[in-house]
Amino acid sequence: MSYAPEGQQHQPYGPGGQGPRPPYGDQYGRPHGRSPHGEQYGGPYGEQYARQDQHGGPYGQQPQGHWEQEQPARPRRRGRRWLIAGVCVLALAGIAAGVMNHYEIPPFTDKGSTVSFGQQPGGGTSNQGGAGAQQPANSKMLMPTGPAADFKNSMTLADGTHVAVTTLDGKKSGFKGKVWVWAPKEYNDPKFAKSGFPVLIALPGGAGYPNNYWMGTDLGLQTSISKWYAEGKSKPFLLAMPVLNPGPDDKGVYWDGSDIPGQPKMGTWLTEDVPDLMKANFRTVKSRDGWAFMGSSTGGFAGMKAVLKHPDRFKAVIASGPDIVPDSSLWKGHDKEKAENNPELLAKHLIDTKGPDVYIAFQVGDSESNKKTLPDVQKFVATFGNKGPVHTSLRVIPGGRHNAKTYVPNMGEGPIQYISKVMEGPVE
């Protein structure tokens, strides 16, 4: 639909169907044309109209040629038209820019542009990995090892930080998939230019393919971490957000974040390839004290299992509404390997061998869709929690349901503090 300036719809014909009406016909109280009685209109800006009938009879008669004397007003009217047209063009341009930005059409968005983390004043970068990296002696911080990944901007947050994505060709797992990353604004702060930051590997529930839903800003994970750090509740974590599974969750098939025989090695992908990507591109913490997982549902299971299976690499996990035991149909015929990826058996082994301390922060809603989730977690805590090296906490969320929108805000009510107290970073 076409609209005239000021939102008035065009009327192509004058009263009574008398031919085309000139543009802006009735605006500003200035009629144009000739009435049915032959009266000529056109006095500028609401002046008294001079009218003459078809016989020349006067209606407040004016001298012949009066209209010619009044015509100098027309250039002003034309100027107004140009002004209105200009305003309309600018308004349309603004609307178009907003639409192009919404649909992420360059040049009105920076999506897809290269992101280099660790920018320093003067245009340099602290992420010079490989041979150019100077690793301070006796430092708790690990300089980026390189090679640098090709990160492309996925979205820009209000504080100017970026969620970026790269395709990682896992050298140890053989799996190739996407990983999204985010660094808090403190990472670029000159005050922390020589500091290594802790890493939180965030795993989604469900299929976790082809996207990891934590990379979207609608759940508020990134902004929440910044907020919690400002409040003294959290470490300023770097986030790694990899795909969880190698394919869609067709007919209930998933991979339990594990190396199931004959299947893509998703356990190795999550616990070796993804950490190697972060070490290659960011200033991180050398020891396991700077490495943790978080996840919901299947992601919570995978993160908890990774920490219990590799306590030498990871120290803590926030597990929200997790499964407690592996249950993928792909384990059929592989009982030995399935047992090696069972959190209950892994926790027992860690206690028996007096292994390194690990910290599991559970949070579960009391209105979870799976009614077994809360009892299963409570049983795990009662059996293994706070015995030897296995430390646990449990937050039951009143009215909490089985979804990420429930879990994120409640992380700030205990779980993020619980793991942050035992982790290190930023460190030099």
Side-chain angles (χ1 to χ4, degrees):
M1 184 178 291
S2 176
Y3 291 89
E6 307 298 328
Q8 295 180 5
Q9 189 173 354
H10 282 303
Q11 297 183 21
Y13 294 96
Q18 299 174 28
R21 173 176 286 180
Y24 316 103
D26 290 328
Q27 267 191 312
Y28 312 111
R30 292 177 290 168
H32 299 277
R34 185 177 295 273
S35 79
H37 301 291
E39 296 116 347
Q40 190 176 7
Y41 299 92
Y45 306 101
E47 293 179 13
Q48 178 65 41
Y49 304 138
R51 299 184 296 176
Q52 191 172 11
D53 70 9
Q54 61 185 350
H55 301 294
Y59 291 86
Q61 192 170 10
Q62 299 291 339
Q64 188 72 20
H66 174 74
W67 284 113
E68 286 74 5
Q69 298 173 9
E70 297 294 337
Q71 287 305 311
R74 286 188 177 275
R76 296 178 63 185
R77 187 181 306 159
R78 182 176 299 170
R80 253 175 200 272
R81 292 178 185 173
W82 280 110
L83 177 60
I84 294 169
V87 170
C88 291
V89 168
L90 290 174
L92 289 173
I95 293 170
V99 171
M100 294 175 79
N101 181 63
H102 176 76
Y103 288 102
E104 299 172 338
I105 302 172
F108 295 96
T109 177
D110 57 358
K111 182 173 182 178
S113 59
T114 299
V115 175
S116 179
F117 292 95
Q119 291 296 327
Q120 298 297 313
T125 176
S126 63
N127 283 354
Q128 303 294 332
Q134 296 296 320
Q135 180 66 46
N138 303 317
S139 173
K140 291 183 177 182
M141 179 265 289
L142 178 66
M143 285 292 290
T145 60
D150 181 22
F151 288 114
K152 299 297 184 184
N153 191 37
S154 179
M155 60 192 66
T156 301
L157 279 64
D159 64 358
T161 58
H162 302 283
V163 176
V165 63
T166 191
T167 298
L168 173 62
D169 191 352
K171 297 297 186 287
K172 296 176 180 176
S173 68
F175 175 71
K176 186 176 184 179
K178 289 184 176 181
V179 182
W180 288 261
V181 299
W182 174 79
K185 61 184 179 182
E186 288 76 20
Y187 189 79
N188 286 334
D189 188 332
K191 180 173 67 174
F192 295 109
K194 297 180 180 179
S195 299
F197 280 66
V199 176
L200 190 62
I201 301 174
L203 304 179
Y209 179 91
N211 295 322
N212 177 325
Y213 57 57
W214 296 118
M215 61 81 176
T217 56
D218 55 323
L219 295 173
L221 177 60
Q222 293 84 2
T223 53
S224 294
I225 287 175
S226 293
K227 175 176 175 287
W228 295 330
Y229 175 64
E231 294 172 347
K233 295 179 178 180
S234 172
K235 298 292 186 184
F237 289 104
L238 297 166
L239 285 181
M241 299 163 278
V243 294
L244 177 61
N245 286 322
D249 185 5
D250 292 333
K251 298 179 181 179
V253 174
Y254 47 92
W255 285 257
D256 270 345
S258 305
D259 291 359
I260 300 176
Q263 300 294 327
K265 295 182 177 180
M266 301 313 294
T268 300
W269 159 261
L270 296 175
T271 61
E272 296 191 50
D273 289 331
V274 172
D276 284 350
L277 172 72
M278 300 303 287
K279 292 175 184 177
N281 291 275
F282 294 90
R283 304 184 309 276
T284 55
V285 179
K286 278 184 182 179
S287 74
R288 74 186 191 104
D289 294 338
W291 295 85
F293 278 88
M294 65 151 283
S296 55
S297 192
T298 300
F301 163 83
M304 174 176 63
K305 188 256 299 183
V307 171
L308 290 168
K309 190 171 185 177
H310 304 288
D312 56 325
R313 302 181 207 164
F314 308 100
K315 192 171 188 178
V317 59
I318 297 175
S320 303
D323 302 320
I324 294 298
V325 296
D327 59 0
S328 170
S329 60
L330 298 172
W331 287 114
K332 186 176 181 180
H334 305 290
D335 291 344
K336 176 179 178 293
E337 292 83 1
K338 182 178 180 180
E340 291 170 352
N341 288 274
N342 186 327
E344 292 182 335
L345 298 179
L346 290 168
K348 182 179 184 304
H349 175 75
L350 196 60
I351 293 170
D352 292 343
T353 58
K354 299 179 173 58
D357 290 309
V358 295
Y359 298 81
I360 306 171
F362 290 106
Q363 57 172 1
V364 184
D366 63 7
S367 298
E368 297 266 346
S369 52
N370 184 347
K371 301 305 179 185
K372 290 186 59 182
T373 300
L374 182 54
D376 285 350
V377 169
Q378 290 172 326
K379 179 183 176 183
F380 183 95
V381 171
T383 305
F384 306 106
N386 302 316
K387 293 179 173 61
V390 179
H391 306 272
T392 61
S393 72
L394 171 59
R395 172 173 171 74
V396 178
I397 305 169
R401 304 184 67 82
H402 191 73
N403 58 58
K405 289 187 177 180
T406 290
Y407 300 140
V408 172
N410 282 280
M411 280 174 58
E413 300 302 319
I416 198 71
Q417 296 96 317
Y418 183 76
I419 69 166
S420 292
K421 286 178 181 178
V422 299
M423 297 189 69
E424 289 194 347
V427 295
E428 294 188 5

